PDB file of all heavy atoms in Angstrom:
ATOM      1  N   ARG A  43     106.175  99.773 100.329  1.00 96.00           N
ATOM      2  CA  ARG A  43     107.021  99.046 101.231  1.00 96.00           C
ATOM      3  C   ARG A  43     107.174  97.614 100.821  1.00 96.00           C
ATOM      4  O   ARG A  43     108.226  97.059 101.015  1.00 96.00           O
ATOM      5  CB  ARG A  43     106.478  99.134 102.663  1.00 96.00           C
ATOM      6  CG  ARG A  43     106.913 100.321 103.443  1.00 96.00           C
ATOM      7  CD  ARG A  43     105.915 100.646 104.534  1.00 96.00           C
ATOM      8  NE  ARG A  43     104.589 100.912 103.851  1.00 96.00           N
ATOM      9  CZ  ARG A  43     103.489 101.255 104.546  1.00 96.00           C
ATOM     10  NH1 ARG A  43     103.508 101.316 105.813  1.00 96.00           N
ATOM     11  NH2 ARG A  43     102.418 101.481 103.858  1.00 96.00           N
ATOM     12  N   THR A  44     106.173  97.022 100.227  1.00 98.00           N
ATOM     13  CA  THR A  44     106.164  95.545  99.920  1.00 98.00           C
ATOM     14  C   THR A  44     107.345  95.196  99.050  1.00 98.00           C
ATOM     15  O   THR A  44     108.025  94.162  99.384  1.00 98.00           O
ATOM     16  CB  THR A  44     104.876  95.236  99.236  1.00 98.00           C
ATOM     17  OG1 THR A  44     103.799  95.696 100.019  1.00 98.00           O
ATOM     18  CG2 THR A  44     104.720  93.692  99.162  1.00 98.00           C
ATOM     19  N   ASP A  72     103.567 104.015  88.533  1.00 98.00           N
ATOM     20  CA  ASP A  72     102.924 105.275  88.871  1.00 98.00           C
ATOM     21  C   ASP A  72     103.862 106.313  89.458  1.00 98.00           C
ATOM     22  O   ASP A  72     105.043 105.977  89.657  1.00 98.00           O
ATOM     23  CB  ASP A  72     101.740 104.983  89.885  1.00 98.00           C
ATOM     24  CG  ASP A  72     102.145 104.043  90.945  1.00 98.00           C
ATOM     25  OD1 ASP A  72     103.337 103.840  91.209  1.00 98.00           O
ATOM     26  OD2 ASP A  72     101.237 103.580  91.664  1.00 98.00           O
ATOM     27  N   HIS A 143      93.604  98.817  95.770  1.00 97.00           N
ATOM     28  CA  HIS A 143      94.054  99.535  94.613  1.00 97.00           C
ATOM     29  C   HIS A 143      95.309  98.890  94.041  1.00 97.00           C
ATOM     30  O   HIS A 143      96.012  98.155  94.753  1.00 97.00           O
ATOM     31  CB  HIS A 143      94.306 101.070  94.922  1.00 97.00           C
ATOM     32  CG  HIS A 143      95.559 101.397  95.648  1.00 97.00           C
ATOM     33  ND1 HIS A 143      95.495 102.131  96.861  1.00 97.00           N
ATOM     34  CD2 HIS A 143      96.864 101.153  95.406  1.00 97.00           C
ATOM     35  CE1 HIS A 143      96.732 102.307  97.320  1.00 97.00           C
ATOM     36  NE2 HIS A 143      97.609 101.762  96.414  1.00 97.00           N
ATOM     37  N   PHE A 146      97.941 103.398  90.914  1.00 97.00           N
ATOM     38  CA  PHE A 146      97.017 104.375  91.628  1.00 97.00           C
ATOM     39  C   PHE A 146      95.643 104.254  91.075  1.00 97.00           C
ATOM     40  O   PHE A 146      94.855 105.229  91.046  1.00 97.00           O
ATOM     41  CB  PHE A 146      97.485 105.811  91.455  1.00 97.00           C
ATOM     42  CG  PHE A 146      98.672 106.182  92.480  1.00 97.00           C
ATOM     43  CD1 PHE A 146      99.652 107.109  92.033  1.00 97.00           C
ATOM     44  CD2 PHE A 146      98.557 105.844  93.741  1.00 97.00           C
ATOM     45  CE1 PHE A 146     100.640 107.444  92.920  1.00 97.00           C
ATOM     46  CE2 PHE A 146      99.556 106.259  94.670  1.00 97.00           C
ATOM     47  CZ  PHE A 146     100.556 107.041  94.260  1.00 97.00           C
ATOM     48  N   ASN A 170     101.132 106.351 102.016  1.00 94.00           N
ATOM     49  CA  ASN A 170     102.352 106.855 101.400  1.00 94.00           C
ATOM     50  C   ASN A 170     103.046 107.916 102.251  1.00 94.00           C
ATOM     51  O   ASN A 170     104.061 108.528 101.805  1.00 94.00           O
ATOM     52  CB  ASN A 170     101.984 107.396 100.020  1.00 94.00           C
ATOM     53  CG  ASN A 170     101.842 106.289  99.014  1.00 94.00           C
ATOM     54  OD1 ASN A 170     102.817 105.786  98.438  1.00 94.00           O
ATOM     55  ND2 ASN A 170     100.582 105.835  98.777  1.00 94.00           N
ATOM     56  N   LYS A 208      97.023  93.436 104.459  1.00 98.00           N
ATOM     57  CA  LYS A 208      96.521  93.177 103.089  1.00 98.00           C
ATOM     58  C   LYS A 208      95.679  91.968 102.964  1.00 98.00           C
ATOM     59  O   LYS A 208      95.121  91.609 101.950  1.00 98.00           O
ATOM     60  CB  LYS A 208      97.798  92.902 102.162  1.00 98.00           C
ATOM     61  CG  LYS A 208      98.790  94.003 102.111  1.00 98.00           C
ATOM     62  CD  LYS A 208      98.175  95.252 101.482  1.00 98.00           C
ATOM     63  CE  LYS A 208      99.097  96.473 101.549  1.00 98.00           C
ATOM     64  NZ  LYS A 208     100.353  96.400 100.949  1.00 98.00           N
TER      65      LYS A 208
HETATM   66  C1  GLP B   1     101.094 102.881  96.668  1.00 60.85           C
HETATM   67  C2  GLP B   1     101.452 102.621  95.224  1.00 60.85           C
HETATM   68  C3  GLP B   1     101.060 101.207  94.778  1.00 60.85           C
HETATM   69  C4  GLP B   1     101.439 100.177  95.803  1.00 60.85           C
HETATM   70  C5  GLP B   1     100.716 100.495  97.107  1.00 60.85           C
HETATM   71  C6  GLP B   1     101.031  99.506  98.267  1.00 60.85           C
HETATM   72  O1  GLP B   1      99.887 103.529  96.785  1.00 60.85           O
HETATM   73  N1  GLP B   1     101.023 103.556  94.301  1.00 60.85           N
HETATM   74  O2  GLP B   1     101.530 100.913  93.538  1.00 60.85           O
HETATM   75  O3  GLP B   1     101.099  98.911  95.373  1.00 60.85           O
HETATM   76  O4  GLP B   1     101.094 101.758  97.557  1.00 60.85           O
HETATM   77  O5  GLP B   1     102.006 100.001  99.075  1.00 60.85           O
HETATM   78  P1  GLP B   1     102.699  99.170 100.223  1.00 60.85           P
HETATM   79  O6  GLP B   1     103.464  98.051  99.528  1.00 60.85           O
HETATM   80  O7  GLP B   1     103.577 100.155 100.877  1.00 60.85           O
HETATM   81  O8  GLP B   1     101.614  98.621 101.081  1.00 60.85           O
END
Side-chain angles (χ1 to χ4, degrees):
R43 270 155 302 180
T44 311
D72 46 16
H143 77 236
F146 275 144
N170 280 278
K208 302 292 169 66

